[in-house]
Amino acid sequence: MYPATQPPRAIRELPDELISQIAAGEVVERPASVVRELVDNALDAGATQITLRLLAGGVRLISVEDNGLGIPANELPVALKRHATSKITSLTELESVGTMGFRGEALAAIQSVSELSVLSRTAAQDSAMLLDGRSGELQPAARAQGTTVEVKELFYSTPARRKFLKTDNTELAHCVEAVRRHALTRPEVGFAIWHEGKLVEQWRAQTIDAASDEDRNTQYQRSLDRRLADVLGDDFLDNSVAVHYQSGNVTVVGRAGIPDASRSRADHQFAYVNGRYVRDKVITHAARSAYEDVLHGHRQPIYALYVEIEPTRVDVNVHPTKIEVRFRDGREVHQAVRHAVENALAVPRANMLMASALQNHELPMTGTFGSGGAASGTSTLGATASPAWPNANWQQATMPLAGTRVADVGALWQSTPRSGLPAEEHPTQSFATDAVFNALSANHTSAPSLQDAAPETWPLGKAIAQLHGVYILAENTQGLVLVDMHAAHERIVYEQLKTQIDTQRISSQPLLIPATFPAIAQEVATAEACADALQELGLEISTLSSKTLAVRAVPSTLAQGDAVALARSVLAELSQHDASTVVQRARNELLATMACHGAVRANRKLTIDEMNGLLRQMEVTERSDQCNHGRPTWRQLSMRELDALFLRGR
Ligand SMILES: Nc1ncnc2c1ncn2[C@@H]1O[C@H](COP(=O)(O)OP(=O)(O)O)[C@@H](O)[C@H]1O
Ligand SMILES: [Mg+2]
């Protein structure tokens, strides 16, 4: 039953206190929301050290102490008023706001649901002043420059809210998380968190020395890396690669976790826009899609991404807590983030490790390394509100092989001898890849000169043996490398097909003798309906009868594989899609299916030269650390790990 309609009452303006309490509902959900707002304010005031003290998960007390500019005594009462702010004065300023706050409602909202006091002192004052929010009483007190805001008994006046709070430990965890989000974007600020008198977390300020010769961005990068390691653990740093990307209006820096470091939950995904932590669908989706090709669908990547964009191109005033933003052009941000992460992940990891070894002079430099250009669109990053990273040093530091892109490798494949003969005429070579291996091992002149580089600098090492027809064993400076040869080769073929379809089309090779096979009705129908799509994929399949199909051409890359098996699986996949758009939408799945057919099978004996050919190919193939299904293609066993197996050196 609906309640009976109430008798009409006069329209009245709500009292101020009630307005604030209603507004508080949007801003202050739990202690962590208060923490976020107060830390925002401290950062806006230029603090370099922020200390948070909590009692009972923040419900009994939240105190945030900073060494920022302070609030002049005469402005203290104003600070607690609704819509009172020192941060903007006009709509124009709102559109290019660089501070965390600007709505002027946090202190008012918090005060309406707690007992709030503010103790503050500016540089110009002889003593600090303490304002009691309840009574409005203002009195002198002792304090160095800066501000302490104390919030006691949160939600004491709104018991309904208080009931929604969880245990102290849960609320504490949320408060820590709120500070962590700030800490990850402000390495130059020190943070300490105390709970019930015990130090819970402490992240020291990373100094950025203005007088230093070193580029400010380089310093910032280093301090950010150190902060990421402090806050998220050394593992985060060890298992992630640097992201640097600039395109048009958008700059993306930060770190992207390697696929191996993925987690079952999305709890290590941090995204920032102009220094502000955000939860944004565009960025999340873009990052996710950058991992599409290297990660199992249900795994969650880890990353910390910092997007810098001209303030007028993003609206931060979408949500009272400012955790959501709206981009003027979501597509440009999506593309930038996606490319930034994709490019960072594309570089084979062994090369990076080798590069840093070279950089640290652990290995001799050879002529072939360090000559490559940049893989991604980076450019000089200006000093913006929160500084971005530089590019010049970084390229040398981490990407010596990045210049050798898949496109170059394509030359290798193109130059493989192509007999165009059907498989039967190559009784010992059942895969096109044999020809590729041969070309590689023969030190082809058009090949990138990796082969000529000193073997001790080969990131994936020198092949020494094949194990049970499945694994390649190789020796590199760190120790033993184990490679899953089918998985690795599958990725190489896949990347090659992708490059071909991107740059022109998949080059196709006619079979001298068409491979005919008995087909079911659906296969015949698909072959006819999808002739164009098949052609795009480098396949030509014609109908001989209502029950027979003939493969007339296959992609050159896969020329000596089993043409019928290839045709059958591509037809099976095509039949599930709408013919006209399938190649755009299901491009990668289709190419992956094809690559699987083209990749060297387990149990095929490889010569040492062929194995080395495959290893060198991996080193210059993007994303070669993962197979097409997101599994790793190689593992390193270091000498230390091997020694540990034998209890050596103890
Ligand atoms: N820790 C602080 N240090 C210096 N000034 C502060 C601090 N906290 C609040 N203020 C002042 O109080 C004003 C109101 O704060 P707040 O209600 O959070 O609104 P906003 O941050 O949106 O301006 C701020 O604009 C600022 O001038
Ligand atoms: Mg604020």
Side-chain angles (χ1 to χ4, degrees):
M1 283 294 281
Y2 291 103
T5 317
Q6 294 193 344
R9 292 198 288 181
I11 301 171
R12 276 194 207 98
E13 286 190 79
L14 293 173
D16 261 7
E17 165 110 22
L18 185 51
I19 296 177
S20 293
Q21 282 170 338
I22 292 170
E26 293 186 302
V27 187
V28 189
E29 187 196 341
R30 59 185 345 155
S33 344
V34 174
V35 170
R36 183 195 59 231
E37 293 294 338
L38 299 184
V39 175
D40 266 357
N41 282 346
L43 290 171
D44 283 346
T48 56
Q49 179 62 44
I50 298 174
T51 304
L52 170 67
R53 290 173 218 280
L54 303 166
L55 292 177
V59 180
R60 271 187 47 224
L61 171 77
I62 298 165
S63 152
V64 173
E65 190 182 308
D66 71 52
N67 62 352
L69 293 173
I71 307 171
N74 61 330
E75 290 179 17
L76 268 175
V78 191
L80 303 196
K81 290 218 166 100
R82 256 185 310 122
H83 312 304
T85 180
S86 58
K87 297 168 193 175
I88 56 168
T89 57
S90 68
L91 189 62
T92 333
E93 284 182 14
L94 171 62
E95 281 169 358
S96 59
V97 68
T99 49
M100 295 290 127
F102 54 81
R103 297 169 61 106
E105 60 188 10
L107 291 184
I110 295 166
Q111 135 149 292
S112 74
V113 290
S114 71
E115 286 170 19
L116 179 135
S117 69
V118 185
L119 169 65
S120 191
R121 178 174 168 185
T122 62
Q125 282 169 219
D126 299 333
S127 81
M129 294 301 275
L130 174 68
L131 174 68
D132 181 297
R134 276 286 113 180
S135 64
E137 210 178 297
L138 196 60
Q139 53 181 311
R143 197 201 189 287
Q145 184 190 329
T147 305
T148 304
V149 178
E150 272 192 10
V151 176
K152 288 187 187 149
E153 304 301 333
L154 188 62
F155 300 140
Y156 74 100
S157 58
T158 48
R161 277 254 153 186
R162 199 160 186 156
K163 269 198 293 215
F164 281 100
L165 295 177
K166 304 279 191 286
T167 64
D168 288 0
N169 277 336
T170 303
E171 295 305 332
L172 168 65
H174 283 285
C175 292
V176 172
E177 179 63 19
V179 182
R180 188 154 86 146
R181 289 171 182 174
H182 283 101
L184 286 180
T185 182
R186 301 298 295 269
E188 77 285 12
V189 179
F191 293 88
I193 306 174
W194 297 77
H195 186 238
E196 302 284 346
K198 288 200 203 81
L199 186 64
V200 183
E201 290 285 1
Q202 182 168 32
W203 302 308
R204 286 178 204 291
Q206 304 294 332
T207 47
I208 293 180
D209 178 7
S212 155
D213 286 346
E214 202 177 18
D215 183 278
R216 184 153 181 268
N217 286 335
T218 314
Q219 290 193 44
Y220 183 71
Q221 170 184 4
R222 210 158 9 83
S223 61
L224 195 51
D225 279 357
R226 235 177 285 139
R227 175 55 61 84
L228 281 163
D230 281 354
V231 176
L232 300 175
D234 289 336
D235 278 358
F236 183 88
L237 211 59
D238 294 344
N239 292 317
S240 60
V241 291
V243 173
H244 284 257
Y245 185 85
Q246 208 262 322
S247 160
N249 298 302
V250 191
T251 300
V252 185
V253 298
R255 295 194 74 87
I258 61 171
D260 256 8
S262 64
R263 298 160 73 91
S264 55
R265 294 194 316 136
D267 57 350
H268 270 43
Q269 299 179 349
F270 299 90
Y272 295 84
V273 173
N274 294 346
R276 193 188 297 281
Y277 176 86
V278 294
R279 237 185 270 125
D280 178 69
K281 285 201 192 77
V282 172
I283 297 179
T284 313
H285 186 271
R288 177 78 238 179
S289 59
Y291 280 91
E292 223 162 55
D293 221 12
V294 288
L295 202 62
H296 268 301
H298 58 270
R299 299 288 297 172
Q300 291 291 346
I302 64 172
Y303 54 76
L305 298 173
Y306 303 83
V307 176
E308 295 288 331
I309 183 168
E310 202 205 311
T312 56
R313 302 189 69 79
V314 53
D315 186 357
V316 290
N317 188 25
V318 180
H319 194 264
T321 65
K322 307 178 211 89
I323 197 164
E324 284 167 34
V325 292
R326 198 181 296 129
F327 296 109
R328 210 204 282 171
D329 181 355
R331 255 209 357 232
E332 87 181 346
V333 175
H334 191 277
Q335 280 179 358
V337 171
R338 180 178 175 144
H339 287 150
V341 177
E342 266 178 3
N343 288 350
L345 293 174
V347 185
R349 195 158 150 74
N351 301 359
M352 295 202 194
L353 298 175
M354 181 61 68
S356 61
L358 285 169
Q359 181 99 96
N360 301 334
H361 306 294
E362 288 162 23
L363 288 169
M365 255 323 203
T366 65
T368 30
F369 287 90
S371 54
S376 60
T378 57
S379 83
T380 311
L381 306 170
T384 46
S386 66
W389 294 342
N391 64 89
N393 297 339
W394 160 75
Q395 280 167 10
Q396 284 170 5
T398 57
M399 306 186 64
L401 295 180
T404 323
R405 316 254 350 241
V406 179
D408 305 332
V409 181
L412 262 181
W413 297 74
Q414 305 305 331
S415 62
T416 59
R418 248 188 256 134
S419 62
L421 295 176
E424 305 88 81
E425 307 212 355
H426 284 273
T428 56
Q429 299 185 348
S430 43
F431 294 94
T433 51
D434 295 337
V436 171
F437 285 148
N438 294 342
L440 282 162
S441 49
N443 245 339
H444 234 266
T445 44
S446 64
S449 46
L450 281 168
Q451 305 263 340
D452 304 333
E456 58 271 22
T457 59
W458 287 345
L460 291 173
K462 262 187 309 185
I464 45 184
Q466 192 180 14
L467 187 68
H468 285 283
V470 176
Y471 298 107
I472 294 172
L473 309 187
E475 175 188 355
N476 69 356
T477 37
Q478 291 98 311
L480 177 70
V481 172
L482 282 155
V483 175
D484 177 336
M485 69 180 200
H486 171 73
H489 194 234
E490 194 178 7
R491 168 64 73 174
I492 292 169
V493 176
Y494 175 48
E495 290 297 327
Q496 215 248 325
L497 290 171
K498 279 201 296 186
T499 311
Q500 282 188 12
I501 211 168
D502 278 349
T503 48
Q504 346 105 53
R505 46 184 307 209
I506 293 183
S507 67
S508 165
Q509 179 178 324
L511 299 177
L512 278 191
I513 302 167
T516 58
F517 63 100
I520 57 168
Q522 192 194 38
E523 288 173 325
V524 177
T526 310
E528 286 173 359
C530 299
D532 289 347
L534 286 166
Q535 200 184 5
E536 264 186 83
L537 297 170
L539 274 162
E540 193 189 322
I541 302 173
S542 62
T543 315
L544 290 188
S545 77
S546 64
K547 286 186 178 152
T548 316
L549 289 174
V551 188
R552 297 189 176 276
V554 295
S556 321
T557 310
L558 314 174
Q560 287 161 36
D562 182 341
V564 172
L566 174 68
R568 282 207 158 120
S569 32
V570 172
L571 287 175
E573 211 160 304
L574 285 177
S575 70
Q576 296 167 21
H577 298 278
D578 166 36
S580 54
T581 56
V582 58
V583 179
Q584 277 101 62
R585 282 183 301 108
R587 185 194 88 150
N588 285 2
E589 288 112 89
L590 282 162
L591 297 185
T593 302
M594 291 165 67
C596 188
H597 281 275
V600 60
R601 299 279 136 171
N603 293 323
R604 198 167 81 60
K605 283 263 175 298
L606 298 184
T607 66
I608 293 284
D609 280 349
E610 286 174 331
M611 290 185 235
N612 274 322
L614 180 65
L615 296 178
R616 302 295 79 76
Q617 192 88 5
M618 286 173 72
E619 286 158 0
V620 293
T621 298
E622 297 187 333
R623 287 170 283 281
S624 61
D625 297 335
Q626 270 71 38
C627 80
N628 304 349
H629 317 286
R631 290 189 297 270
T633 54
W634 66 280
R635 292 284 186 197
Q636 175 85 56
L637 274 176
S638 69
M639 288 308 285
R640 197 179 308 163
E641 286 161 321
L642 290 168
D643 288 346
L645 281 177
F646 295 95
L647 313 174
R648 259 181 83 112
R650 299 274 164 94

Coordinates of all heavy atoms in Angstrom, one line a residue, residues 430-431 466-471 484-486 599-606:
S430 N 57.6 -30.2 -44.2 CA 56.1 -30.1 -44.3 C 55.6 -28.8 -44.0 O 54.4 -28.5 -44.0 CB 55.5 -31.2 -43.4 OG 56.2 -31.2 -42.2
F431 N 56.5 -27.8 -43.7 CA 56.0 -26.5 -43.3 C 56.8 -25.4 -44.1 O 58.0 -25.5 -44.2 CB 56.1 -26.2 -41.8 CG 55.2 -27.1 -41.1 CD1 55.7 -28.3 -40.6 CD2 53.8 -26.8 -40.9 CE1 54.8 -29.2 -39.9 CE2 53.0 -27.6 -40.2 CZ 53.5 -28.8 -39.7
Q466 N 67.6 -29.3 -28.4 CA 66.1 -29.4 -28.4 C 65.7 -30.5 -27.5 O 66.3 -31.6 -27.4 CB 65.7 -29.7 -29.8 CG 64.2 -29.5 -30.1 CD 63.9 -29.9 -31.5 OE1 64.7 -30.5 -32.2 NE2 62.7 -29.5 -32.0
L467 N 64.7 -30.2 -26.7 CA 64.3 -31.2 -25.7 C 62.9 -31.8 -26.1 O 61.9 -31.1 -26.2 CB 64.2 -30.5 -24.3 CG 63.9 -31.3 -23.1 CD1 65.2 -32.2 -22.8 CD2 63.6 -30.4 -21.9
H468 N 63.0 -33.2 -26.2 CA 61.7 -33.9 -26.5 C 60.9 -33.3 -27.6 O 59.7 -33.4 -27.6 CB 60.9 -34.1 -25.3 CG 61.4 -35.1 -24.3 ND1 61.3 -36.4 -24.5 CD2 62.1 -35.0 -23.2 CE1 61.9 -37.1 -23.5 NE2 62.4 -36.2 -22.7
G469 N 61.6 -32.7 -28.6 CA 60.8 -32.1 -29.7 C 59.9 -31.0 -29.3 O 59.1 -30.6 -30.1
V470 N 60.0 -30.5 -28.1 CA 59.0 -29.4 -27.7 C 59.8 -28.1 -27.3 O 59.4 -27.1 -27.8 CB 58.2 -29.9 -26.4 CG1 57.3 -28.8 -25.9 CG2 57.4 -31.1 -26.8
Y471 N 60.8 -28.3 -26.6 CA 61.5 -27.1 -26.1 C 62.9 -26.9 -26.7 O 63.6 -27.9 -27.0 CB 61.7 -27.2 -24.6 CG 60.4 -27.2 -23.8 CD1 60.0 -28.4 -23.2 CD2 59.6 -26.1 -23.8 CE1 58.8 -28.5 -22.6 CE2 58.4 -26.1 -23.1 CZ 58.0 -27.3 -22.5 OH 56.8 -27.4 -21.9
D484 N 59.4 -22.6 -25.7 CA 58.3 -23.4 -26.3 C 58.3 -23.1 -27.8 O 57.7 -22.1 -28.2 CB 57.0 -23.1 -25.6 CG 55.9 -24.0 -26.2 OD1 56.0 -24.4 -27.3 OD2 54.9 -24.1 -25.4
M485 N 58.9 -24.0 -28.6 CA 59.1 -23.6 -30.0 C 57.8 -23.4 -30.8 O 57.7 -22.5 -31.6 CB 60.1 -24.6 -30.7 CG 59.5 -25.9 -30.9 SD 60.8 -26.9 -31.7 CE 59.7 -28.2 -32.4
H486 N 56.8 -24.3 -30.5 CA 55.6 -24.1 -31.3 C 54.9 -22.7 -30.9 O 54.5 -22.0 -31.7 CB 54.6 -25.2 -31.0 CG 53.2 -25.0 -31.6 ND1 53.0 -25.0 -33.0 CD2 52.0 -24.6 -31.0 CE1 51.7 -24.7 -33.2 NE2 51.1 -24.4 -32.1
A599 N 52.5 -22.7 -37.9 CA 53.7 -22.8 -36.9 C 54.2 -24.2 -36.8 O 53.5 -25.2 -37.0 CB 53.2 -22.3 -35.5
V600 N 55.5 -24.2 -36.6 CA 56.2 -25.5 -36.5 C 55.6 -26.4 -35.4 O 55.2 -25.9 -34.3 CB 57.7 -25.2 -36.3 CG1 58.0 -24.5 -35.0 CG2 58.5 -26.5 -36.3
R601 N 55.4 -27.6 -35.7 CA 54.7 -28.5 -34.8 C 55.7 -29.1 -33.8 O 56.9 -29.2 -34.1 CB 54.1 -29.7 -35.5 CG 53.1 -29.3 -36.5 CD 51.8 -29.1 -35.8 NE 51.2 -27.9 -36.4 CZ 49.9 -27.5 -36.2 NH1 49.2 -28.2 -35.3 NH2 49.5 -26.4 -36.7
A602 N 55.2 -29.5 -32.7 CA 56.0 -30.2 -31.7 C 56.6 -31.5 -32.4 O 56.0 -31.9 -33.4 CB 55.2 -30.6 -30.5
N603 N 57.7 -31.9 -32.0 CA 58.3 -33.2 -32.5 C 59.0 -33.0 -33.8 O 59.4 -34.0 -34.4 CB 57.3 -34.3 -32.6 CG 56.8 -34.7 -31.2 OD1 57.6 -34.8 -30.3 ND2 55.5 -35.0 -31.1
R604 N 59.0 -31.8 -34.3 CA 59.8 -31.6 -35.5 C 61.2 -31.3 -35.1 O 61.5 -30.5 -34.3 CB 59.3 -30.5 -36.4 CG 59.9 -30.8 -37.7 CD 59.5 -30.1 -38.9 NE 60.0 -28.8 -39.2 CZ 61.3 -28.5 -39.3 NH1 62.2 -29.4 -39.1 NH2 61.6 -27.3 -39.6
K605 N 62.2 -32.1 -35.6 CA 63.6 -31.9 -35.3 C 64.1 -30.6 -35.9 O 63.9 -30.4 -37.1 CB 64.4 -33.1 -35.8 CG 64.3 -34.3 -35.0 CD 65.5 -34.4 -34.0 CE 65.3 -35.6 -33.1 NZ 64.1 -35.6 -32.2
L606 N 64.7 -29.8 -35.1 CA 65.3 -28.6 -35.7 C 66.8 -28.7 -35.5 O 67.3 -29.3 -34.6 CB 64.9 -27.3 -34.9 CG 63.4 -27.0 -34.8 CD1 63.2 -25.7 -34.1 CD2 62.8 -26.9 -36.2

